Amino acid sequence: CIMKVLCKKTLPKFNPLQYGKLQKIIAVAILILPLLFFTLTAAAQNNIFVKGKITNANGDPLPGVSIVVKGSTRGVSSNAKGDFEINAPANGTLTISSIGFASREVKVNNQTSLSVSLIATENQMEQVVVVGYGTQKKKDVTGSVVSVNETALREVPVSNLQGALQGRAAGLEVQTVGTTPGSGAQIRIRGTRSISGSNDPLLVLDGIPYSGGLNDINPDDVASVDILKDASATAIYGSRGANGVILVTTKRGKSGETHISFSSYYGIGTVAKKYPVYNPAEYIAMRNISPWSQGYMAEEKANMAAGKTTDWQDAMYENSYKTDHNLTVSGGSNGSTFSLGGGYYKETTVLPGQDFTRYSLRGTIDSKIGNRIKVGLNTLNSVGITNGSQFVFPMFPILSLSPYMTPYDSAGNLIKSPTGDNDDRQSQYNPLLLKSNNNQWVDRVRRLRTFNSVYGELEIIKGLKYRLNLGLSYAQEEDDQFRASDDPAGLVPSYFRPKQGNTAYINNGETWGYTVENILTYDN
């Protein structure tokens, strides 16, 4: 623009004094351009792919090292050559850890290539790990054991224990199954071992085999997780441990003053990226070459003439949230300790009708009777309620509806079936009906689970102990489904039953089990 103005004047007659305003504009532009460039540069600093190599002090590559983006659940492990690749924020921090080596935090600083050396630590070998029916010093363990402590489990706020384990243990693969709140996970230890049989590892909670899922355990109740990855697990647990064993140890009370702890957080979620669909112009081009014979609806033609369009994803998506609150009281004296805690967790999604809620209650008592006898009690109880996990999947109508159809009429009422053809109007209703249920449908799964264990330990002579473990578990699950019939008058249309009658389904199931263990241990 400046050059165009200057070119309108011949150079001999050009007088800079006549362009005082222009000089001011140029001066302001000179000040603003660097700031604008800095802003654009900062905005462009998003996630980048970082490649790196992990070595020890001698320069040898280290396989199986855990690399996690600090403050997230995103993590990878280094391969046999010590190489890794991870998608991380340009200004983020990578937490690098491995058994037997001191953990390191490395800042990315917009680098796409990193070389990290880890230093071996001697004191790591003195740690005590859980191995089946007891504990051992890590240096005495011949099998492959990976431990994840309480600090690592609490680094990122997650809804379940499988989320806390993602990227935290080498050789442990955790994949979420489903996108609805409360979905479970597929866990594999050192890959898939069987084509037709189960590949799920054995889950042991406080020494007792646990038949429930990790989603029923409040992560705030867990003190540590130990993973037995090789044949030594089979030697302890038999064929049940063929796919590896996950040992979960919950928190217990400690002697001393009574402590009260409370933790809480609240998070908001938004859509990171919408599904790529045709824009209005591309949609028209597609319809014009389509062999569909019905043509455009009258509403579509009117909106085309008026230039009125609808982004159905924007109309449906809403902010989600997750919140977690935990209260624990613990203490003990005179050889007895106790711990009592309760938790509340709830998570919703960006789509209406889907959420997960969990209530948990935990209690432990450990008491010493004389110098030779110890007894204890542990109880874990949870109630989980999942809504919208069985048949609430509205993505197809959201992505297939015409951008030239509107969700509301001129009076502000929802249009029952804003589809682009007459055939779909008989079987597809407005997905916005999900935002106001009005008791038209129920999609709920309620799980009640209680897990209890009692132990007694007697020291017969020095180093020789007898221990009796009793475990009792009970679970009850109720699946509820109801879809109301479509209202012939159209006043309260049924989204899930257009032009159909109602349907209902209830399923109740319960499982229970017990465990009795007699353990004789000699440790000198």
Side-chain angles (χ1 to χ4, degrees):
C1 294
I2 297 173
M3 293 303 298
K4 185 179 291 186
V5 173
L6 294 178
C7 290
K8 290 181 180 180
K9 300 292 183 179
T10 57
L11 290 177
K13 295 181 180 181
F14 177 73
N15 184 0
L17 298 177
Q18 297 176 357
Y19 296 92
K21 294 183 178 180
L22 182 60
Q23 290 175 335
K24 293 180 180 179
I25 293 175
I26 294 174
V28 172
I30 292 174
L31 294 175
I32 292 178
L33 283 176
L35 180 60
L36 180 61
F37 176 79
F38 176 80
T39 303
L40 293 176
T41 303
Q45 291 179 351
N46 204 348
N47 287 2
I48 61 175
F49 281 99
V50 180
K51 295 182 178 180
K53 189 178 187 67
I54 310 296
T55 60
N56 59 17
N58 298 325
D60 301 322
L62 292 177
V65 177
S66 175
I67 301 98
V68 180
V69 178
K70 187 176 182 179
S72 74
T73 58
R74 190 186 313 154
V76 297
S77 298
S78 60
N79 59 20
K81 297 181 180 179
D83 298 326
F84 71 90
E85 183 176 352
I86 190 171
N87 189 12
N91 59 348
T93 301
L94 300 180
T95 301
I96 302 174
S97 59
S98 180
I99 299 298
F101 294 87
S103 299
R104 286 191 59 183
E105 290 189 355
V106 179
K107 294 186 179 298
V108 177
N109 287 335
N110 218 16
Q111 302 176 80
T112 58
S113 180
L114 295 174
S115 180
V116 182
S117 177
L118 297 183
I119 300 175
T121 55
E122 297 297 334
N123 58 351
Q124 290 281 340
M125 302 304 293
E126 295 299 325
Q127 291 183 356
V128 175
V129 295
V130 180
V131 284
Y133 296 121
T135 60
Q136 284 184 324
K137 290 183 179 180
K138 184 172 292 186
K139 67 180 181 181
D140 296 332
V141 178
T142 58
S144 180
V145 180
V146 176
S147 300
V148 184
N149 58 27
E150 179 183 354
T151 303
L153 294 173
R154 293 173 59 87
E155 284 182 351
V156 179
V158 291
S159 60
N160 45 44
L161 191 56
Q162 56 256 32
L165 290 174
Q166 282 183 324
R168 295 297 192 277
L172 183 69
E173 301 174 5
V174 182
Q175 297 180 351
T176 302
V177 180
T179 58
T180 58
S183 298
Q186 175 181 279
I187 300 178
R188 297 290 181 263
I189 297 178
R190 287 186 173 175
T192 301
R193 300 168 183 243
S194 174
I195 297 176
S196 58
S198 173
N199 287 281
D200 295 331
L202 174 66
L203 180 61
V204 178
L205 182 61
D206 289 329
I208 305 296
Y210 183 70
S211 60
L214 292 178
N215 209 36
D216 297 323
I217 302 175
N218 184 356
D220 193 73
D221 295 338
V222 177
S224 65
V225 177
D226 298 273
I227 299 105
L228 310 183
K229 300 193 293 184
D230 58 13
S232 62
T234 307
I236 301 172
Y237 292 101
S239 61
R240 293 181 299 174
N243 297 320
V245 182
I246 298 178
L247 305 173
V248 180
T249 304
T250 59
K251 298 177 182 177
R252 308 189 81 91
K254 296 180 181 180
S255 297
E257 296 181 351
T258 300
H259 292 272
I260 299 177
S261 63
F262 176 75
S263 63
S264 176
Y265 68 80
Y266 183 92
I268 298 176
T270 58
V271 175
K273 185 179 181 181
K274 296 192 298 184
Y275 283 91
V277 296
Y278 283 164
N279 61 36
E282 294 170 336
Y283 179 80
I284 291 178
M286 179 196 70
R287 287 283 293 269
N288 288 341
I289 64 174
S290 171
W292 189 251
S293 59
Q294 292 187 10
Y296 294 100
M297 305 294 288
E299 298 92 334
E300 289 183 294
K301 294 179 180 179
N303 290 328
M304 288 179 187
K308 187 177 181 180
T309 62
T310 299
D311 189 324
W312 288 97
Q313 293 188 71
D314 287 344
M316 284 296 298
Y317 294 150
E318 54 191 17
N319 288 345
S320 66
Y321 73 88
K322 60 173 60 178
T323 182
D324 188 29
H325 312 282
N326 294 280
L327 178 65
T328 301
V329 180
S330 63
S333 62
N334 299 324
S336 297
T337 60
F338 73 93
S339 177
L340 178 64
Y344 168 79
Y345 176 85
K346 184 168 185 179
E347 178 182 1
T348 66
T349 66
V350 295
L351 290 173
Q354 298 179 348
D355 61 74
F356 170 70
T357 305
R358 181 183 60 228
Y359 306 89
S360 60
L361 180 64
R362 173 185 59 86
T364 64
I365 298 176
D366 297 283
S367 183
K368 190 172 183 180
I369 303 174
N371 296 323
R372 296 180 178 271
I373 300 176
K374 288 178 62 177
V375 295
L377 166 69
N378 182 26
T379 177
L380 291 171
N381 308 276
S382 66
V383 176
I385 301 174
T386 305
N387 291 310
S389 63
Q390 300 176 95
F391 59 78
V392 182
F393 304 107
M395 285 310 303
F396 176 77
I398 296 174
L399 301 178
S400 63
L401 285 172
S402 170
Y404 285 102
M405 296 298 294
T406 56
Y408 301 95
D409 58 21
S410 58
N413 300 316
L414 274 177
I415 298 175
K416 182 171 67 173
S417 184
T419 59
D421 60 85
N422 288 320
D423 290 344
D424 285 343
R425 290 197 171 185
Q426 305 303 314
S427 60
Q428 186 172 303
Y429 281 175
N430 194 332
L432 288 176
L433 290 169
L434 293 176
K435 290 194 172 185
S436 55
N437 188 342
N438 293 328
N439 295 320
Q440 288 295 100
W441 56 272
V442 174
D443 181 0
R444 182 180 63 185
V445 178
R446 179 185 60 82
R447 292 187 300 274
L448 167 65
R449 182 172 295 276
T450 177
F451 185 84
N452 309 276
S453 61
V454 179
Y455 76 89
E457 186 176 279
L458 170 64
E459 184 179 13
I460 302 173
I461 60 175
K462 184 178 181 181
L464 181 62
K465 295 181 180 179
Y466 165 74
R467 183 182 176 100
L468 171 65
N469 289 335
L470 299 177
L472 177 63
S473 63
Y474 174 80
Q476 192 273 338
E477 182 173 303
E478 178 182 315
D479 303 341
D480 301 329
Q481 297 184 26
F482 169 68
R483 280 160 278 189
S485 59
D486 194 14
D487 180 11
L491 299 178
V492 188
S494 175
Y495 172 77
F496 295 104
R497 304 292 291 176
K499 313 297 182 184
Q500 301 178 70
N502 58 19
T503 178
Y505 169 86
I506 295 178
N507 179 60
N508 280 282
E510 63 177 13
T511 59
W512 65 276
Y514 68 90
T515 301
V516 180
E517 293 180 340
N518 295 275
I519 305 170
L520 197 63
T521 305
Y522 181 69
D523 185 4
N524 187 19

